[in-house]
Amino acid sequence: MDDHIADALSRPALVRLDSRTLCLRFETMKVASALEAVRHLLERGTIARGDTLVDSSSGIYAHALALACHRHGLHCHIVASTTVDKTLHTQLEILGATVEPMPPSASLKLDQSRRVARVREILRDHPRHHWMRQYHDDVHYRGYRPIADLIREHVDCSRLSVVGGVGTGASTGALTTFLRETSPEVELVGVQPFDSVTFGSEHVHDPEIIIAGIGSSIPFGNVDHTLYDTVHWFGFDAALSGSVALLREHAIFAGLSAGAAYLAARWEQRLDPERHVVVLAPDTGHRYVDAAYSRHAEAPSPDDLRPRQISTLGDMDLPWSRMRWNRAEAPPNAVVSRAIPVAS
């Protein structure tokens, strides 16, 4: 029995999709990360009960941090993306979080930059607030160790690929780091939207980009590019195809990043049918109903899609590109400035 709902939400459902594919399906994946990060910071004395924790979020992390603060008697202030809908906003307020929404902007890139700038203003005016820095503080890796142990219990890791959205770098990066402690051969397949600097797709514009949370217009310190073996870039249409297929074929209702990961996993397994694959589904599909799932009749069949195989970043194109990354360093625009500290 759990003492708080956050403890229950930190554990994913592990669902077998076929004989070699598993899905880690979360209601809110970053609860695992935020809960353990906050617990560790309290234990270390970096923060204390009654303090205010602040961060920027497009949705999932906001919910996770609010739950962790509720669990541990802390105040929470969220600088919220325009992608945070009314349902989540209301939940956050009832949980006790202060929600500061950003005004509408022309792009998610501008929205993200504004949010980070606003967090810095808050810290200037309230120096005792603690910035969680989900993008840069690797304390967010810690909560994924039990999940790596769960995977290890059920999967032969000697031929395993982990497939999931890159986002801040914590989830896929942490799972693979912990799995490689006993199985160095585990491969990591990262999923990115176009229009993201993280793996060099900022030059390809997707007019319908709404895959919130897995790309970025700014460099993230928690992304260790040298962990990734392969990267897939998806546009909206291809991600929608994967999401609809995941729901239709396996009854898993998840966000667009999970749909993109599912499509990438199907392709990787097609290339190597003997591999085991774990697909990350970090959230439910509820916030994508109007903008994506309501258009399910328009979704192309996954069988009609295949990635454009590229060898240089300049060759990528919509709707789907794939490249062997081979654990290379970050592209120039994804290198974090030394002015941004990365703490353990």
Side-chain angles (χ1 to χ4, degrees):
M1 181 181 296
D2 295 305
D3 294 326
H4 193 278
I5 188 63
D7 300 320
L9 293 178
S10 69
R11 296 189 298 272
L14 188 60
V15 183
R16 184 173 300 282
L17 305 187
D18 59 41
S19 62
R20 291 190 172 270
T21 307
L22 296 177
C23 179
L24 273 174
R25 199 276 194 182
F26 296 81
E27 183 172 332
T28 305
M29 180 178 69
K30 292 185 179 180
V31 173
S33 178
L35 197 61
E36 176 58 23
V38 169
R39 188 205 63 78
H40 179 71
L41 292 171
L42 283 165
E43 184 179 81
R44 200 170 61 180
T46 304
I47 60 176
R49 289 182 182 276
D51 285 354
T52 297
L53 308 187
V54 60
D55 214 339
S56 155
S57 175
S58 61
I60 297 178
Y61 188 77
H63 189 207
L65 186 59
L67 286 168
C69 288
H70 189 278
R71 172 78 169 81
H72 290 290
L74 295 152
H75 301 294
C76 179
H77 185 96
I78 298 295
V79 179
S81 167
T82 56
T83 60
V84 172
D85 60 23
K86 183 178 179 181
T87 300
L88 177 56
H89 190 146
T90 302
Q91 286 186 72
L92 295 175
E93 289 186 332
I94 295 173
L95 282 168
T98 304
V99 183
E100 184 177 342
M102 286 290 96
S105 60
S107 69
L108 292 180
K109 292 181 180 181
L110 179 59
D111 174 68
Q112 191 171 50
S113 299
R114 282 178 172 176
R115 284 187 279 128
V116 173
R118 178 56 188 146
V119 169
R120 294 186 183 279
E121 290 176 356
I122 292 169
L123 294 171
R124 180 196 64 202
D125 297 336
H126 303 278
R128 295 194 60 182
H129 284 14
H130 181 81
W131 184 13
M132 288 299 293
R133 295 186 305 127
Q134 64 154 325
Y135 303 145
H136 304 297
D137 192 338
D138 61 9
V139 71
H140 292 92
Y141 272 48
R142 300 175 65 90
Y144 292 105
R145 182 176 288 279
I147 300 168
D149 292 340
L150 175 66
I151 294 172
R152 196 180 283 113
E153 288 176 17
H154 293 277
V155 184
D156 175 8
C157 294
S158 64
R159 297 198 69 178
L160 172 66
S161 293
V162 175
V163 185
V166 176
T168 66
S171 58
T172 50
L175 285 172
T176 303
T177 296
F178 297 139
L179 288 170
R180 284 178 183 166
E181 290 176 349
T182 55
S183 302
E185 61 275 24
V186 169
E187 293 220 341
L188 178 54
V189 180
V191 171
Q192 279 275 278
F194 293 100
D195 273 318
S196 171
V197 304
T198 308
F199 278 90
S201 64
E202 66 269 25
H203 61 287
V204 180
H205 177 58
D206 178 6
E208 294 198 88
I209 181 172
I210 57 168
I211 314 176
I214 67 167
S216 176
S217 63
I218 59 175
F220 286 168
N222 273 340
V223 178
D224 181 353
H225 294 75
T226 65
L227 292 173
Y228 293 83
D229 298 282
T230 302
V231 179
H232 289 249
W233 294 267
F234 285 90
F236 172 81
D237 290 342
L240 177 62
S241 170
S243 299
V244 171
L246 187 59
L247 180 55
R248 180 174 290 138
E249 296 168 10
H250 302 288
I252 294 176
F253 184 46
L256 286 178
S257 69
Y262 179 56
L263 214 56
R266 285 168 53 122
W267 188 260
E268 294 301 317
Q269 199 163 53
R270 177 176 175 177
L271 296 178
D272 187 353
E274 298 305 310
R275 291 196 74 80
H276 293 279
V277 181
V278 172
V279 181
L280 269 64
D283 62 346
T284 69
H286 292 89
R287 66 173 171 160
Y288 293 104
V289 170
D290 291 337
Y293 277 100
S294 63
R295 299 167 56 182
H296 64 90
E298 304 171 23
S301 168
D303 295 332
D304 294 336
L305 297 173
R306 59 188 299 123
R308 176 187 178 96
Q309 183 63 44
I310 63 173
S311 56
T312 65
L313 295 175
D315 291 336
M316 73 173 66
D317 200 4
L318 292 163
W320 177 12
S321 293
R322 176 188 184 271
M323 178 175 166
R324 286 290 294 175
W325 192 259
N326 294 321
R327 308 189 188 186
E329 299 288 341
N333 288 345
V335 175
V336 176
S337 166
R338 292 183 179 180
I340 301 175
V342 180
S344 298

